[in-house]
Every structure is written in structure tokens, then in C-alpha cells.
Amino acid sequence: MAAPTLLLLALLLPAGAWPGLPRRPCVHCCRPAWPPGPYARVSDGDPWRSLPRVRPTIDIEILKGEKGEAGVRGRAGRSGKEGPPGARGLQGRKGQKGQVGPPGAPCQRAYAAFSVGRREGLHSSDDFQAVPFDTELVNLDGAFDLAAGRFLCTVPGVYFLSLNVHTWNYKETYLHIMLNRRPTAVLYAQPSERSVMQAQSLMLLLAAGDAVWVRMFQREQDNAIYGERGDLYITFSGHLVKPAAEL
């Protein structure tokens, strides 16, 4: 009988009527229970507004899993358009001095020169007659033919030429400095009882294969140049001033 009796009393009596048990505060059904939830709205007149709110926090490190393996690398994307050039950078520091290079080949300069003479006098025997020479003073590479009296140009360029002769008493002296078949300059002296030295010089632009020579030109009077075996009165000289490659 004791167990049914106690059960009946528990159902009939309120919780605060039991001796030795604390009394619960009275809570109205129209207001939320205390303390309010973390997301509950609290009005200005609510007595719980001045109390701090407690928000639960979750440690992400606890929920974070282990690092997975690297995936397969995808295909490379298309190249983008070229962007505008950037601003000029600052000048870098001066580099170290390099090593000395090997010596170069010596500069090869072109040379051409001749100087010839005639010791015997010469009288013209025809209207036009080439003057041959019998004395070689300078003849680089054998470019001057003494017997023919011609210099054959092998190094094209600007040449300085000079002709010196001694006139004959009472005879006319009429000479041409020839370029191939064209007279370029005249050396002339009228007949006189006194013989004199006559000279002519000029510069010519010669091409490879051009020939330079001296020609006697006979008119109504006898044309002659004086010479002696012991002395050199007649000379014809020329040298390269500047090669055509440097013009």
C-alpha cells in the first residue's frame, strides 16, 4: 500500500509542497524562460538586457580533416594578350672589365707607285709617238712597262702624275700625258736658242686596267726632248694617293 500511496501523492501535490525540495520560480507562459537564447530578441525594458550574452563557439581545428593528396595537374590555359610595355627600369651597375681579345690582323693598305726615266734624247719620227724609257727608279709589282712606256693600273684610285723633260735648242717640245687613248694634259715649249727644264703634273682617277703613258705630238716643226747618257733629264712618275675603296 505504501508505493501506490506515494505515487498518488506525487501526482496530486505540487513540487514546492514536498518538504526539503527548493521551489522553482514562477514563469509566465507569455514570456520566454531565463536565460534568453543567443538569438532571442530582448526589448529595452527587459531585465535581462543588461546581462552579457553567451554565444557558443566551435573549434574549427577539431572539425578540420587531414590534408588530402595533390590532384592531377590540369592542362595549361591559352596565352593571354601581350600587355603594354612597362616603365624603363633603373640603370644597372657597371660591369667588370672584360678580358683583352686576341690581336687582330694588321691593316693591309694598298700601294702603287712608279718612277722611270730616259737618258737618251728623242726626236719624233711620226705624228704620234709613245715615249719609251730606259731607266727604272721605282716600279712596284712591275706595273710599268719600260719598253712600251706604259703604266698599267692594278689598284684603282686617285693618282698623282708628274712629267719632267729638258727642251732641245731651236726645237719644239710638244708632249701629251695620255689616259688610255685620251690626252689629259700638255707639256709644251716653243723653239728657243736656250734649252730649259719643263714640267707638268696632275691627278687622275684611274680604274683597274687603265693605262697611263707619254706621247710626242709632231706638227710642222721638229719635236724633240733632250737627253745625255751620263745625266737623267727626262722623268715620268706617279703614285697612288687614295684607293678607290676609301673614296
Side-chain angles (χ1 to χ4, degrees):
M1 289 294 292
T5 305
L6 292 175
L7 179 60
L8 180 62
L9 291 175
L11 295 174
L12 296 177
L13 293 177
W18 290 88
L21 295 177
R23 294 177 61 88
R24 294 181 56 187
C26 182
V27 180
H28 294 283
C29 298
C30 61
R31 61 185 300 180
W34 184 92
Y39 303 101
R41 295 183 178 180
V42 182
S43 61
D44 295 338
D46 200 322
W48 316 121
R49 182 175 179 82
S50 60
L51 296 178
R53 292 186 179 185
V54 179
R55 297 179 181 274
T57 58
I58 301 176
D59 190 356
I60 301 301
E61 298 295 333
I62 299 177
L63 302 179
K64 185 178 181 181
E66 297 181 357
K67 184 177 181 180
E69 298 180 357
V72 180
R73 185 172 182 176
R75 297 180 180 179
R78 295 181 179 179
S79 300
K81 295 182 179 179
E82 184 178 357
R88 186 187 180 98
L90 299 176
Q91 185 176 1
R93 296 181 179 179
K94 184 178 181 180
Q96 297 180 354
K97 186 177 181 179
Q99 298 180 354
V100 179
C107 180
Q108 299 292 334
R109 286 189 57 86
Y111 293 100
F114 69 90
S115 182
V116 295
R118 181 178 175 89
R119 296 186 182 276
E120 291 186 1
L122 182 64
H123 289 76
S124 61
S125 59
D126 201 350
D127 293 342
F128 301 103
Q129 178 182 349
V131 178
F133 295 87
D134 54 25
T135 303
E136 183 180 281
L137 302 174
V138 174
N139 190 8
L140 298 183
D141 300 325
F144 196 97
D145 186 348
L146 290 176
R150 294 174 183 263
F151 168 74
L152 185 64
C153 177
T154 58
V155 182
V158 177
Y159 283 77
F160 176 80
L161 305 171
S162 65
L163 174 63
N164 296 270
V165 299
H166 194 284
T167 65
W168 207 304
N169 294 354
Y170 306 106
K171 296 183 182 292
E172 186 180 46
T173 301
Y174 200 149
L175 302 172
H176 287 146
I177 298 178
M178 304 290 294
L179 173 57
N180 298 323
R181 295 182 177 273
R182 177 172 59 90
T184 58
V186 175
L187 186 151
Y188 178 76
Q190 293 180 346
S192 174
E193 60 182 17
R194 297 183 59 184
S195 60
V196 294
M197 293 293 297
Q198 293 286 93
Q200 178 65 282
S201 61
L202 74 161
M203 298 182 72
L204 291 177
L205 177 61
L206 303 182
D210 283 344
V212 178
W213 51 291
V214 178
R215 181 181 74 176
M216 297 185 72
F217 175 43
Q218 183 179 3
R219 300 191 297 179
E220 293 82 5
Q221 302 183 32
D222 189 14
N223 187 8
I225 49 178
Y226 179 79
E228 292 182 359
R229 297 293 297 175
D231 296 316
L232 189 62
Y233 290 95
I234 306 166
T235 60
F236 182 39
S237 303
H239 67 274
L240 177 66
V241 176
K242 193 169 188 179
E246 300 179 9
L247 296 178

